Amino acid sequence: MGAELSTAKELLGRLVAFDTTSHKTNIPLIAFVEDYLNRHGIDSVRVPTADGQKASLFATIGPSGTGGVALSGHTDVVPVASQNWSTDPFTMVERDGRLYGRGTCDMKGYLACVLALVPAFKARRLSLPIHIAFSYDEEVGCTGVRPMIAELGKTLVLPRMVVVGEPTTMTVVDAHKGPVRWSVDVTGKAAHSSMPHLGVNAITYAARLLGELARMEEELKRLPPNPRFDPPYTSLQVTQVEGGTASNIVPVPCWFGWEIRRLPGYDGMDLDQRLRRFAAEHCLPEMQRIAPETGIRIDITNEVPAFEAGPNSAAVPLALKLAEQNATFAVCYATEASLFQRGGAPSVVIGPGDIAQAHKPDEFLHVSELEKCLAFLARIADWCETG
Ligand SMILES: [Zn+2]
């Protein structure tokens, strides 16, 4: 374990040094992992984007042609821009039992553990394979993993279980909420602000829509709660607003973004229809009476299903046993688990690090979390050996 821990730390330092902020390429990191696997005699398959700037990577250790346990994680990280870091975010620093650096917690620490154990996995006589499934663009709406999941059961073997290593402090998460995000563009008509009656004020109409969203938010809070989640209801909020041009012009553009985070079992599309209906009945007739070219455009920009492993999942009791835990948890952030589950692979979320440290300046991972994760992954290998 000591040797594996130092390998994991060293690999984590290497992974952190690749600036894989979601809007940048992840190819240098993928090439590094490919090369690392290659040196251990393991072939991997890239699932690239059309422009070749990003790729997922899938590899199998052990018997081919049969589904095993997939160890899944994303290679991208959130931006460091406008964050105040004490040290260079892309140079990992160890201090007081903590590893600092962008992505140490979310979630290169898990990737490093998986890679550090590759020689050990290789040395086992696995009766079930261990798959490695690394994705991109998770932080911008779990979009990058989707083309890889589409290949499962086709060009890539469908795993019998997926362990998504997002930071859960090594507890087993068997449910999460599913976000939907919208973008709303209100287009008004310009006029001198001394003559507001000649223009159409985009901000005024956006405000009406925001009022309707606020009513929807309150109604969602009054629905029967699911106490596994905190908050125990489908949350709704406005996340961004931008509008107007100058203090003496009736504003033409107003844009806002809003989101819901759905409890499992609720698709939320009634809210989409309700906002569109509200716009059609309470905004557009007035706006277009003054200027027919004005309008409101509502787009869904991202949707990740909610995740619920369900009472019949074989993955959950197995994960609990291997993690030496006796309770599962539900979280409000989204992961790729719901997409794997929808793709036919039973999934759980369990990984090193605390989500409280993710996405923040001076992001860190406790070394003890790496140790726990290595031990957990070794028990997965035990299970894959004995079946
Ligand atoms: Zn993550």
Side-chain angles (χ1 to χ4, degrees), residues 73-74 76-78 105-108 138-139 164-167 333-336 355 358-359 363:
H74 60 83
D76 60 318
V77 294
V78 295
C105 171
D106 186 10
M107 60 179 287
K108 289 176 171 175
E138 189 274 346
E139 298 290 6
V164 177
E166 291 281 356
Y333 55 88
T335 76
E336 295 169 339
I355 195 74
H359 300 197
E363 175 179 351

Side-chain angles (χ1 to χ4, degrees), residues 311-324:
N312 301 319
S313 167
V316 173
L318 179 61
L320 281 170
K321 187 178 133 201
L322 299 177
E324 299 178 337

